[in-house]
Amino acid sequence: MLLRHAMGAASAGLPPLPDLSGPARAEGRRRAGRRRLALGAAALAVAAAGAAGTRLLPEGSAAPAVVPAATAPAAPVGPVHIEPAPGEETMADLPDDERSRREVFQNEAVGVLQELLPQGTGTVRRTDLNVSRYQVERGDRVFVLILSVRPSTRSVAIPSCAGAKGGTCVTATLLDGVKARATTEPVGSGGVTATRATFAYGRSEVTLSLSPDESAGVSAPVTNEQLLTVASDPAFHELLRYADERPMEPLATSVGGG
């Protein structure tokens, strides 16, 4: 069950969040029969719509089970358009087959995130800027959501709350012993906060974050614990596994000895 503690209830001085892997695995077995990541099936739908040549799975791989129509969350049709900065590349600049592959991934991510985020968070939508950017809409409030699975050749330290700057910080053990950290930190000078979870998965660095609606003065509508609960779910890990094995983002490299 998703946690619904008040924002900021945890602090850096509190004990680490309990191991989430056991409850998440049990829930995953219950859910597995009705919801599996349908990237292969979705690719066929994209091809039927005119994006011929899209291939999400390697030759000879078995496609995941199809998501039953009755359990697939509804979402607005089409992406949110984000105007790029001068010189910034967008998904529209990609070859057709690669753009279609990323759009299929985004659609699957939207379904998983919509299911796993706390009820009342808002409607999750993908954007056309890049594969890692989404947004959550709740009435006239808009929150930027980032799901980044970035390949990396550098060693990623096990996250801890040591050195966290302000706000609150908690750590947790996710599936398969993955260590994660989540922080809620002030943004700008308007008294609002963003929530961000980071961890290593396979050969990638993962970020799952939700930013505030600064113009409305509203903080990100999730807590550290809620974000870590999303990150611990088996369906979310299927997304990570696909993106880790078939990267869609630039390689992360060390900068300035970091």
Side-chain angles (χ1 to χ4, degrees):
M1 180 179 296
L2 294 175
L3 304 174
R4 288 180 170 81
H5 299 305
M7 178 70 74
S11 69
L14 292 177
L17 201 64
D19 189 331
L20 299 176
S21 60
R25 186 174 290 109
E27 171 65 12
R29 293 193 186 102
R30 182 183 68 79
R31 182 180 291 139
R34 65 181 176 84
R35 202 199 199 298
R36 297 290 269 173
L37 187 60
L39 292 172
L44 296 177
V46 170
T54 299
R55 180 176 296 277
L56 295 176
L57 300 174
E59 194 70 37
S61 296
V66 176
V67 178
T71 63
V77 177
V80 176
H81 175 67
I82 304 294
E83 196 66 26
E88 183 179 16
E89 293 186 353
T90 72
M91 299 223 313
D93 299 313
L94 297 169
D96 288 346
D97 57 349
E98 179 60 18
R99 184 183 70 252
S100 295
R101 182 174 80 96
R102 297 187 190 190
E103 288 174 348
V104 168
F105 177 85
Q106 285 186 311
N107 284 333
E108 292 300 321
V110 165
V112 170
L113 291 166
Q114 189 71 70
E115 180 179 333
L116 297 180
L117 286 168
Q119 186 174 9
T121 300
T123 300
V124 182
R125 299 187 64 185
R126 66 184 179 91
T127 76
D128 62 1
L129 185 62
N130 59 59
V131 70
S132 66
R133 180 160 174 167
Y134 304 76
Q135 71 181 38
V136 174
E137 301 172 353
R138 188 179 67 189
D140 59 354
R141 308 289 186 251
V142 176
F143 309 94
V144 175
L145 188 156
I146 299 296
L147 169 55
S148 173
V149 187
R150 194 172 181 185
S152 177
T153 58
R154 61 190 178 188
S155 176
V156 181
I158 295 176
S160 76
C161 286
K165 300 179 180 179
T168 65
C169 177
V170 294
T171 59
T173 301
L174 310 180
L175 294 180
D176 303 322
V178 172
K179 305 293 185 180
R181 180 179 94 159
T183 57
T184 296
E185 299 178 348
V187 174
S189 58
V192 293
T193 57
T195 307
R196 172 187 176 99
T198 56
F199 53 94
Y201 183 92
R203 298 164 294 181
S204 303
E205 299 177 11
V206 179
T207 298
L208 176 63
S209 67
L210 204 57
S211 298
D213 185 332
E214 292 189 70
S215 63
V218 179
S219 294
V222 291
T223 67
N224 293 334
E225 295 91 342
Q226 288 169 337
L227 212 57
L228 288 172
T229 300
V230 172
S232 74
D233 192 277
F236 184 78
H237 279 244
E238 287 195 47
L239 288 171
L240 301 184
R241 184 177 301 111
Y242 179 87
D244 179 60
E245 294 175 354
R246 305 164 185 85
M248 293 172 280
E249 297 186 54
L251 182 69
T253 57
S254 298
V255 178

